[in-house]
Amino acid sequence: MSGDQVSSLCEQLVKAVTVMMDPASTQRYRLEALKFCEEFKEKCPICVPCGLKLAEKTQTAIVRHFGLQILEHVVKFRWNSMGRLEKVYLKNNVMGLISSGTQNILEEESHIKDVLSRIVVEMIKREWPQHWPDMLKELDTLSKQGETQTELVMFILLRLAEDVVTFQTLPAQRRRDIQQTLTQNMEQIFSFLLNTLQENVNKYRRMVEVPQEQDALSPPQKMDASQEPKAQANCRVGIAALNTLAGYIDWVAMSHITADNCKLLEMLCLLLNEPELQVGAAECLLIVVSRKGKLEDRKPLMVLFGDVAMHYILSAAQTADEEGLVEKHYVFLKRLCQVLCSLGSQLCALVGSDTDVETPANFGKYLESFLAFTTHPSQFLRSSTQITWGALFRHEVLSRDPLLLAMIPKYLRASMTNLVKVGFPSKTDSPSCEYSRFDFDSDEDFNYFFNSFRAQQGEVIRMACRLDPRTGFQMAGEWLKYQLTSPVDIGPMNSKTGEGLCSIFSPSFVQWDAMTFFLESIISPMFRTLDKKEIPVSDGIELLQLVLSFETKDPLILSCVLSNVSALFPFVTYRPEYLPEVLSKLFASVTFEVVEESKAPRTRAVKNVRRHACSSIIKMCRDYPQLVLPNFDMLYNHVKQLLSNELLLTQMEKCALMEALVLISNQFKDYQRQKAFLEELMSPVATLWLSEEMKRVLMNPEDFIRYVGADNKIADPVMEDPCGLNRSRISFCVYTILGVVKRARWPTSPEEAKAGGFVAGYMPNGNPIYRNPCSVQVLKLLDNLLALIRTHNNLYMPEMMAKLGETFAKALDMLEVEKNAILGLPQPLLDLYDSPVYKTVLERMQGFFCTLYDNCFHILGNAGSSIQQDFYTIDGLAAELLNSAFVNLNNIPDYRLRPMLRVFVKPLVLSCPPEHYETLICPILGPLVTYLHMRLSQKWQVINQRSLLCDEDTTDDNPESQEMLEEQLVRLLTREVMDLITVSCVSKKGAEQNNAVAADGDDDEMMSTEVTPPSSSELTELGKCLMKQEDIGTALLVTAFTSLSWKDTLSCQRTTTQLCWPLLKQVLTGTLTPEAVTWFFTSVLKGLQMHGQHDGCMAALVHLAFQIYEALRPRYAELKAVMEQVPEIHTESLEQFDSKLLNPTLQKAADKRRKDHFKRLIAGCVGKPLGEQFRKEVHIRNLPSLFKKVKPSVEADILDNSEEGTLIALFEP
């Protein structure tokens, strides 16, 4: 190949690269240049000489980088077709480039170093150790030439460990060969890395050492200018050596790390005080102390609790902290904090185990230093320590250590500061703010972090208080008293609720908020830990009296006061005479207003106080009904008085109070008395709900629209709302029915239930049939409720939507809050409490429809478990429900269908007694599943088409955010439907799956790779009943198998692991048509095509396909025809698999081997992520095995299959 040819080609390539990288180039020129370069790499026979010429030192960095890229491309894609001499030529030249072809270590560009090390590693991956046994010696020789070469050798060793061990980017046999050879040579490699580190650090230190008076470890101050580059070069190599060590110490045998009396650990501790190297050293130390494995191997790590190591770690932390907030030092502090946390974890694992590790002598010093991080201004550092504190307080041995017990008051004192929500990055009201600006992008980010940090602290405080309950209670009491007597400081920001009131940033509120959380976290463990006699009742009652007598008009502070009342309420169980005072305080807050008789809407803070008071009353009646029962009449009179004024309370508040009364009435334990009470309580509702006017309104969609005011056009959409009262009446009735159905119950003890008259009869198996005292009242109102549901469903008909007034055209749309929740957008954070809830009348109307729809279905969902037999034996219930809840489903949007399935259909199915399966559940679920399958199939088809057409311009009628919302809704509806089918059909022992539908947008489980379906997945009685009916069974199977290729990974994985096989197993014994069997199998393969890129899904789908093929292939030859259509299938391999499967006389191979064989057969079906779909395949050939195989049959096999080249290579020296 003539030199001229190479030179002229190189000139063209230089021009092309220059055009590509020049920002001024036009796109057309750039594309042409790119095409020229790519074609050159793919087709040109003289790539190597051109690449080497372009990589010469004389060229610019961009051109040299391109030259080296050419060489890398040759190694990756042409190596297998190159002759031996060509390979040797290329290898020698690349090693020559490392030796003398790069600039000095301080001048060379990092991307040049990177690509050069990549080329060497790519060659190592193909040839070492079999064909390049001296590779390590060559690298060692290179490193002796100087710092430039040593740094490159470090890069090579690190890259090799990453590719082989961390990312495993090469075939299994090559990976094994290389990893085993690395392990065999690890002693030399490790001593090489350590010596390199030590030599370069020593040289660096000698050069930066300063005149005698100064400390040798302080940063360089005076240094001969000629020495500086040399020192910098040594420092660079030191950093590279630390980075390379970090790539190895994660996986090498612990003996290498602890060799020579833990020399490595000693060096790393020393380097913590070397400013240029400390971050790298801390990273390495962190990896070492985070190692898992045998406890015996980890024992030497306790050396880090020794005097010397502790001294270095703590002095480094102190120095870094004294430097102030500099990013570099702050990063180092974070690493050190993680080191101490991991050290704590190792201590917890080793002490008290079989390893005879004693609590270290420096445990106290360790705790003090750890506490210093817990009291650091950085909220991030504070939070990092919590898990380790929890582990220490939980530990069987350490939690009894006097040093740790002495630390509890200090930890609690620190928590009192840490619970105060300060440190927002946008503010300057705390030293934490400055650190938060490094750690958080926005106040919302910080708020999200702080809430989880606070919850974590709550856990740890509870653990600490189990060890020392009195100290915690004493501190909480003092803090509470202090807050009650402190003047209110509202800070610079005034609340919009009113003049002189706190906002959520006010100093007083953040203190109250923190104190309340602290008190709540301390009281519950105290009551659990101390004996009854030891509980400080008089102190608790004193605190309660102080709280009850505290008066404030500030809604945010009053909300905290109510939380304190709830937290201290357990003391009232010892002194019931204080109950009336507690009730009075709570009832006063139910009607709380900042300005009495104000016409303006209440702010969220005020609404929250009222809601808080209601839920406190409910909680008290739920948790302490026996205590409240003697005061029932007082409670009832309070509520009656409040209910007498229609405008005093919102509907929700009224119903909350009624729920509290119902909870107490459960303690009557007398059916007749409770029934009479419920009749009296519900009589206003019954009168209103059963009136002629209401009947007419609920029956007729047009009348309904008119009655709630949705047909009006309103001039002032904020203040004017003529039909608000009508809506609130409907809401009141529905809320009340729901409250009663949810709360009214018979006694839990069978004896008490029988004595109270709650048993209506007995089942054939002798179980009692209970009757609910509310059933007569509720059933009386049921017809109108079903009419309302039917009317509500019919509102979505186009002709009804047309009747909505101009103001209310979007009245049936989703609320913004719902949209944000589905899209996973955070709620606007900071003024939530402050803004007056000036909703427009449209927003109020949307809220009304949304809540009404949900609550109606909640009633029906709760009716089954609450009213039981009385509900399920209603004449023609299935027809009634089909004619109300399930009418006009075609027009009902996904966001309304989802809650219907979750809060109504699912509970209805789960609580239905088996004797009503055929009359109630089958007639409903059969048509419903068929309909849902059709609906979802159409929706997924639209989504798939949309993603195919996404390159074309689409009009903006349907903006992207709307498309995302629709797609996410379809995804969530799919999960809901599949979950409904799963809980109906499949029983799982340890039924943790019943709550399997994730929160909106919660895809955490997506990548879970636990795939083998539990053997205990069996059909429930209901599942068997549904599968017996051919049309329903078909609908279930078709839905389950079609859903595998819908674009929702989570749904696919759950359906594959839990549902498909149990359903299919049920019909295997029957006569399945060949078409059906082919369709089931093809559906699974389609699922693999769609979801194969996700490991969890792929493993589950492969397992399912394997089960189907093994079970059905002997009876259906058609399955083989499907397999033959799999892309890139090896026909001989398929024949081999089939013959073994069909020959019953052959001994079956192990399950795993058969499955692996099958997985290889269908590999062509497995979908790849977009990034890999068009990637050029890299093929790395296996080299002759390093280890002789003993089995003769296998050897013969090798000789038969091996290529000539491999045999020759085996005999090469």
Side-chain angles (χ1 to χ4, degrees):
M1 193 55 58
S2 73
D4 294 347
Q5 209 175 348
V6 172
S7 299
S8 73
L9 244 179
C10 285
E11 275 174 37
Q12 288 174 280
L13 287 166
V14 169
K15 279 181 193 162
V17 172
T18 313
V19 167
M20 279 195 312
M21 302 312 260
D22 182 0
S25 303
T26 64
Q27 191 185 7
R28 200 178 119 236
Y29 275 141
R30 189 174 287 125
L31 280 174
E32 279 178 14
L34 178 64
K35 191 178 168 194
F36 174 70
C37 291
E38 289 303 314
E39 280 183 359
F40 167 79
K41 279 199 278 192
E42 290 298 332
K43 295 174 186 168
C44 182
I46 53 169
C47 276
V48 174
C50 290
L52 289 168
K53 187 166 178 63
L54 292 176
E56 286 170 1
K57 260 200 283 198
T58 49
Q59 305 278 13
T60 62
I62 286 176
V63 171
R64 288 172 64 215
H65 184 261
F66 179 69
L68 292 167
Q69 268 188 327
I70 293 173
L71 299 179
E72 185 188 12
H73 188 275
V74 168
V75 176
K76 281 172 87 169
F77 300 106
R78 294 195 188 178
W79 194 257
N80 295 339
S81 58
M82 285 166 71
R84 182 157 175 245
L85 293 174
E86 286 179 284
K87 291 178 185 177
V88 172
Y89 173 74
L90 176 55
K91 187 265 288 188
N92 290 341
N93 274 290
V94 170
M95 297 311 253
L97 285 173
I98 294 177
S99 166
S100 56
T102 62
Q103 313 285 3
N104 175 292
I105 184 170
L106 300 176
E107 294 161 23
E108 187 57 275
E109 300 281 355
S110 58
H111 56 276
I112 300 281
K113 296 176 186 175
D114 186 52
V115 71
L116 197 48
S117 62
R118 278 205 314 264
I119 297 171
V120 178
V121 171
E122 288 302 328
M123 291 193 292
I124 293 172
K125 277 155 57 172
R126 284 157 179 78
E127 299 295 331
W128 186 68
Q130 289 93 327
H131 295 166
W132 188 4
D134 296 337
M135 184 272 294
L136 288 173
K137 279 185 197 158
E138 287 184 39
L139 293 184
D140 187 41
T141 311
L142 280 173
S143 69
K144 294 191 171 105
Q145 288 190 8
E147 287 82 13
T148 305
Q149 290 74 17
T150 309
E151 187 191 34
L152 284 167
V153 168
M154 290 296 151
F155 287 167
I156 291 165
L157 289 174
L158 173 59
R159 178 93 195 187
L160 180 61
E162 285 175 345
D163 278 6
V164 174
V165 183
T166 316
F167 304 123
Q168 305 192 344
T169 56
L170 63 172
Q173 191 186 319
R174 285 303 299 130
R175 197 181 78 233
R176 269 198 307 276
D177 287 353
I178 295 174
Q179 192 166 344
Q180 282 167 344
T181 315
L182 279 173
T183 307
Q184 284 165 358
N185 291 285
M186 195 48 74
E187 211 167 312
Q188 298 97 291
I189 295 174
F190 236 69
S191 66
F192 168 66
L193 291 175
L194 279 182
N195 292 338
T196 304
L197 178 63
Q198 199 162 15
E199 280 170 25
N200 282 280
V201 168
N202 289 344
K203 285 179 189 170
Y204 171 66
R205 279 187 159 168
R206 276 200 297 276
M207 280 182 242
V208 299
E209 255 172 26
V210 271
Q212 296 76 4
E213 308 87 3
Q214 305 233 341
D215 180 7
L217 287 180
S218 58
Q221 287 164 26
K222 293 176 185 171
M223 184 175 26
D224 182 359
S226 64
Q227 292 290 341
E228 189 155 342
K230 190 87 181 102
Q232 280 306 314
N234 290 128
C235 180
R236 276 285 174 86
V237 177
I239 292 169
L242 283 170
N243 288 339
T244 305
L245 271 169
Y248 282 82
I249 51 185
D250 193 17
W251 56 273
V252 300
M254 213 46 178
S255 54
H256 298 299
I257 294 169
T258 52
D260 271 357
N261 283 336
C262 298
K263 180 183 168 189
L264 169 64
L265 298 181
E266 189 187 333
M267 281 175 70
L268 292 174
C269 288
L270 273 164
L271 291 177
L272 293 176
N273 289 287
E274 196 62 72
E276 292 301 319
L277 300 164
Q278 60 185 181
V279 175
E283 292 275 6
C284 286
L285 206 48
L286 176 59
I287 295 170
V288 173
V289 292
S290 305
R291 287 273 305 239
K292 302 279 182 280
K294 288 182 188 164
L295 291 175
E296 199 56 44
D297 292 346
R298 294 192 258 160
K299 260 169 73 172
L301 294 179
M302 297 309 282
V303 72
L304 292 169
F305 280 98
D307 290 341
V308 179
M310 269 290 144
H311 166 74
Y312 281 120
I313 292 172
L314 302 188
S315 64
Q318 220 166 343
T319 313
D321 199 30
E322 284 162 5
E323 299 284 348
L325 180 50
V326 179
E327 185 165 14
K328 188 177 156 193
H329 295 139
Y330 182 39
V331 168
F332 173 61
L333 264 185
K334 285 186 194 173
R335 289 294 165 275
L336 264 191
C337 179
Q338 287 173 295
V339 167
L340 285 178
C341 290
S342 296
L343 259 183
S345 303
Q346 293 289 7
L347 185 64
C348 289
L350 290 165
V351 172
S353 64
D354 304 334
T355 49
D356 312 323
V357 172
E358 297 292 316
T359 307
N362 279 329
F363 186 47
K365 193 188 268 189
Y366 167 79
L367 289 174
E368 284 294 345
S369 61
F370 201 53
L371 185 72
F373 279 102
T374 311
T375 53
H376 191 274
S378 157
Q379 295 282 19
F380 183 84
L381 284 177
R382 294 173 182 181
S383 79
S384 302
T385 61
Q386 296 302 320
I387 289 176
T388 307
W389 280 118
L392 292 168
F393 291 145
R394 250 198 328 260
H395 195 272
E396 214 174 327
V397 178
L398 296 171
S399 64
R400 296 198 287 270
D401 191 292
L403 289 167
L404 186 66
L405 292 171
M407 196 47 78
I408 287 177
K410 295 180 183 175
Y411 172 77
L412 291 174
R413 187 74 57 202
S415 296
M416 290 168 68
T417 308
N418 293 354
L419 288 169
V420 179
K421 193 187 254 188
V422 288
F424 282 95
S426 68
K427 301 205 170 302
T428 51
D429 54 2
S430 145
S432 304
C433 298
E434 210 179 338
Y435 288 92
S436 292
R437 284 192 271 282
F438 276 103
D439 291 320
F440 306 102
D441 292 335
S442 65
D443 285 356
E444 277 77 9
D445 250 10
F446 173 79
N447 191 56
Y448 181 76
F449 151 82
F450 192 88
N451 290 342
S452 65
F453 168 34
R454 176 181 276 189
Q456 212 175 25
Q457 278 187 95
E459 281 295 307
V460 181
I461 291 169
R462 283 192 278 280
M463 287 174 208
C465 286
R466 282 183 203 128
L467 301 176
D468 184 358
R470 285 193 185 75
T471 304
F473 181 65
Q474 191 187 338
M475 291 165 86
E478 284 168 14
W479 194 3
L480 174 59
K481 286 177 184 169
Y482 175 77
Q483 281 307 128
L484 289 168
T485 52
S486 299
V488 172
D489 174 4
I490 63 165
M493 275 179 71
N494 220 331
S495 165
K496 295 175 194 159
T497 307
E499 202 58 43
L501 297 177
C502 288
S503 75
I504 58 169
F505 293 121
S506 300
S508 279
F509 171 66
V510 292
Q511 288 290 335
W512 264 100
D513 189 35
M515 179 275 296
T516 304
F517 186 87
F518 187 68
L519 180 79
E520 288 173 327
S521 303
I522 276 170
I523 284 186
S524 65
M526 180 180 78
F527 273 91
R528 285 203 196 107
T529 310
L530 292 179
D531 286 339
K532 275 196 165 187
K533 294 169 193 163
E534 296 177 320
I535 285 178
V537 175
S538 49
D539 295 349
I541 289 291
E542 182 201 345
L543 291 175
L544 181 65
Q545 282 178 296
L546 290 171
V547 174
L548 291 172
S549 57
F550 179 76
E551 292 297 331
T552 178
K553 270 291 180 189
D554 192 305
L556 291 175
I557 291 178
L558 180 54
S559 205
C560 295
V561 170
L562 294 177
S563 295
N564 284 298
V565 171
S566 294
L568 294 164
F569 190 76
F571 288 108
V572 179
T573 55
Y574 293 82
R575 301 277 174 82
E577 62 270 23
Y578 286 97
L579 181 65
E581 278 185 64
V582 172
L583 286 172
S584 301
K585 182 79 176 176
L586 294 176
F587 273 106
S589 306
V590 170
T591 56
F592 173 78
E593 296 281 11
V594 174
V595 184
E596 298 299 336
E597 301 296 319
S598 163
K599 284 283 176 248
R602 299 182 184 113
T603 60
R604 190 141 320 180
V606 172
K607 282 192 158 189
N608 277 0
V609 166
R610 296 169 67 117
R611 196 168 285 184
H612 193 151
C614 290
S615 64
S616 297
I617 294 170
I618 288 187
K619 193 173 160 203
M620 194 171 72
C621 294
R622 185 194 67 202
D623 298 344
Y624 303 96
Q626 288 297 127
L627 182 66
V628 184
L629 184 59
N631 292 272
F632 178 74
D633 292 336
M634 170 197 164
L635 188 68
Y636 193 12
N637 291 329
H638 259 309
V639 174
K640 274 199 240 181
Q641 205 178 332
L642 292 174
L643 293 180
S644 61
N645 178 345
E646 193 169 11
L647 299 173
L648 194 58
L649 301 176
T650 66
Q651 309 318 314
M652 203 182 225
E653 289 156 4
K654 288 178 191 172
C655 298
L657 297 178
M658 289 164 81
E659 278 185 52
L661 291 174
V662 176
L663 281 166
I664 300 302
S665 77
N666 289 338
Q667 294 304 309
F668 294 168
K669 298 189 176 162
D670 175 342
Y671 176 78
Q672 291 303 338
R673 183 184 168 198
Q674 193 177 357
K675 183 182 164 208
F677 161 70
L678 290 173
E679 197 170 332
E680 185 186 334
L681 185 69
M682 291 183 76
S683 67
V685 173
T687 311
L688 183 58
W689 193 244
L690 299 173
S691 66
E692 284 306 313
E693 183 193 17
M694 191 61 88
K695 260 186 186 165
R696 179 179 54 75
V697 166
L698 299 179
M699 292 281 181
N700 185 322
E702 277 187 65
D703 290 345
F704 184 76
I705 288 175
R706 203 170 302 119
Y707 183 77
V708 299
D711 59 342
N712 298 341
K713 180 184 177 187
I714 287 180
D716 178 353
V718 173
M719 299 312 283
E720 194 186 326
D721 186 5
C723 297
L725 202 55
N726 288 348
R727 288 201 302 278
S728 71
R729 283 180 182 144
I730 293 179
S731 293
F732 173 58
C733 292
V734 173
Y735 269 128
T736 308
I737 300 170
L738 176 59
V740 171
V741 166
K742 238 168 54 182
R743 304 292 186 182
R745 281 291 181 278
W746 50 90
T748 43
S749 139
E751 293 75 29
E752 286 181 339
K754 193 174 176 188
F758 290 91
V759 176
Y762 291 90
M763 308 269 285
N765 62 6
N767 286 346
I769 297 172
Y770 294 113
R771 52 183 183 163
N772 192 318
C774 78
S775 57
V776 178
Q777 289 305 310
V778 172
L779 293 178
K780 203 164 68 177
L781 308 174
L782 191 64
D783 283 349
N784 276 6
L785 181 78
L786 293 174
L788 170 59
I789 291 174
R790 181 170 54 251
T791 297
H792 201 304
N793 278 8
N794 284 329
L795 291 182
Y796 288 94
M797 290 163 81
E799 58 269 29
M800 286 301 150
M801 301 280 276
K803 291 194 162 66
L804 295 174
E806 203 176 306
T807 316
F808 299 110
K810 293 189 170 179
L812 294 168
D813 281 13
M814 271 175 106
L815 290 160
E816 280 304 312
V817 190
E818 290 182 289
K819 286 183 190 172
N820 291 343
I822 283 166
L823 290 171
L825 300 173
Q827 295 299 351
L829 156 78
L830 300 170
D831 287 333
L832 257 186
Y833 286 82
D834 240 4
S835 46
V837 194
Y838 275 110
K839 287 185 181 165
T840 64
V841 69
L842 171 63
E843 285 173 301
R844 289 203 289 273
M845 189 70 81
Q846 282 178 330
F848 165 74
F849 279 128
C850 171
T851 315
L852 186 66
Y853 195 76
D854 280 7
N855 285 343
C856 287
F857 283 124
H858 270 293
I859 295 171
L860 288 183
N862 279 289
S865 56
S866 168
I867 308 174
Q868 295 201 338
Q869 289 293 342
D870 289 339
F871 177 67
Y872 285 111
T873 51
I874 291 173
D875 261 357
L877 179 61
E880 294 259 4
L881 292 174
L882 285 169
N883 193 27
S884 52
F886 300 103
V887 298
N888 192 32
L889 288 187
N890 268 337
N891 289 312
I892 288 183
D894 292 346
Y895 55 86
R896 289 286 166 262
L897 196 52
R898 239 184 102 217
M900 181 184 97
L901 297 176
R902 186 170 63 239
V903 303
F904 160 46
V905 184
K906 189 171 157 186
L908 177 82
V909 168
L910 289 177
S911 53
C912 181
E915 59 269 26
H916 298 292
Y917 286 166
E918 298 214 356
T919 53
L920 177 65
I921 304 298
C922 291
I924 288 177
L925 272 192
L928 181 64
V929 172
T930 308
Y931 167 73
L932 290 169
H933 169 255
M934 181 193 73
R935 174 171 176 142
L936 286 170
S937 296
Q938 288 169 352
K939 299 245 175 194
W940 281 114
Q941 201 175 349
V942 170
I943 289 170
N944 291 339
Q945 280 171 343
R946 192 185 286 157
S947 49
L948 287 175
L949 299 170
C950 63
D951 300 337
E952 298 172 19
D953 292 335
T954 47
T955 51
D956 225 5
D957 296 347
N958 203 10
E960 279 172 20
S961 60
Q962 186 58 30
E963 284 187 6
M964 276 172 62
L965 182 67
E966 285 170 14
E967 189 169 328
Q968 187 60 4
L969 265 170
V970 174
R971 197 164 276 126
L972 294 172
L973 180 61
T974 303
R975 289 176 198 178
E976 210 66 70
V977 171
M978 299 324 294
D979 181 53
L980 171 65
I981 297 176
T982 306
V983 296
S984 305
C985 296
V986 183
S987 69
K988 285 183 60 85
K989 294 194 171 81
E992 72 282 347
Q993 292 318 116
N994 283 3
N995 50 6
V997 172
D1000 291 347
D1002 171 10
D1003 282 359
D1004 290 351
E1005 293 174 56
M1006 186 160 85
M1007 302 318 282
S1008 96
T1009 49
E1010 209 33 65
V1011 294
T1012 312
S1015 53
S1016 55
S1017 281
E1018 291 298 334
L1019 285 194
T1020 54
E1021 285 310 309
L1022 174 58
K1024 288 174 190 163
C1025 173
L1026 292 167
M1027 290 301 288
K1028 269 183 209 152
Q1029 309 212 8
E1030 196 178 332
D1031 52 341
I1032 302 179
T1034 307
L1036 291 170
L1037 277 164
V1038 168
T1039 308
F1041 279 84
T1042 311
S1043 76
L1044 300 181
S1045 49
W1046 290 340
K1047 223 177 191 168
D1048 181 37
T1049 321
L1050 193 61
S1051 174
C1052 169
Q1053 189 168 343
R1054 284 182 185 151
T1055 308
T1056 311
T1057 47
Q1058 294 165 31
L1059 188 61
C1060 288
W1061 184 244
L1063 288 181
L1064 188 58
K1065 211 163 58 174
Q1066 196 66 17
V1067 295
L1068 285 186
T1069 49
T1071 51
L1072 283 170
T1073 65
E1075 292 75 28
V1077 172
T1078 307
W1079 183 83
F1080 288 132
F1081 189 59
T1082 312
S1083 298
V1084 182
L1085 298 183
K1086 279 183 181 167
L1088 266 171
Q1089 213 169 356
M1090 175 66 79
H1091 301 289
Q1093 57 184 300
H1094 304 294
D1095 293 346
C1097 269
M1098 180 187 70
L1101 286 161
V1102 167
H1103 182 78
L1104 178 61
F1106 174 67
Q1107 280 179 306
I1108 295 174
Y1109 196 77
E1110 279 222 319
L1112 292 170
R1113 168 67 184 90
R1115 284 162 53 196
Y1116 296 92
E1118 289 80 2
L1119 287 182
K1120 186 182 178 189
V1122 176
M1123 286 292 275
E1124 284 166 346
Q1125 292 167 42
V1126 169
E1128 300 164 30
I1129 186 143
H1130 297 293
T1131 322
E1132 307 82 52
S1133 189
L1134 174 61
E1135 292 293 346
Q1136 193 186 358
F1137 184 82
D1138 258 19
S1139 62
K1140 283 181 185 170
L1141 177 63
L1142 298 174
N1143 188 342
T1145 55
L1146 281 178
Q1147 186 189 350
K1148 272 199 163 184
D1151 204 36
K1152 186 176 184 320
R1153 286 185 64 179
R1154 297 200 319 276
K1155 200 150 105 180
D1156 286 347
H1157 188 171
F1158 183 76
K1159 186 177 175 180
R1160 288 194 296 276
L1161 289 176
I1162 57 171
C1165 282
V1166 178
K1168 291 180 180 172
L1170 190 62
E1172 285 179 24
Q1173 280 175 19
F1174 307 103
R1175 183 194 280 176
K1176 190 172 177 184
E1177 286 287 333
V1178 174
H1179 296 287
I1180 299 180
R1181 276 194 190 152
N1182 285 331
L1183 299 184
S1185 175
L1186 283 171
F1187 306 95
K1188 283 183 181 171
K1189 294 192 173 151
V1190 186
K1191 291 182 188 170
S1193 60
V1194 181
E1195 278 183 7
D1197 206 30
I1198 288 179
L1199 289 169
D1200 292 345
N1201 297 335
S1202 57
E1203 299 167 20
E1204 269 180 71
T1206 323
L1207 280 173
I1208 294 163
L1210 277 169
F1211 298 109
E1212 278 188 355

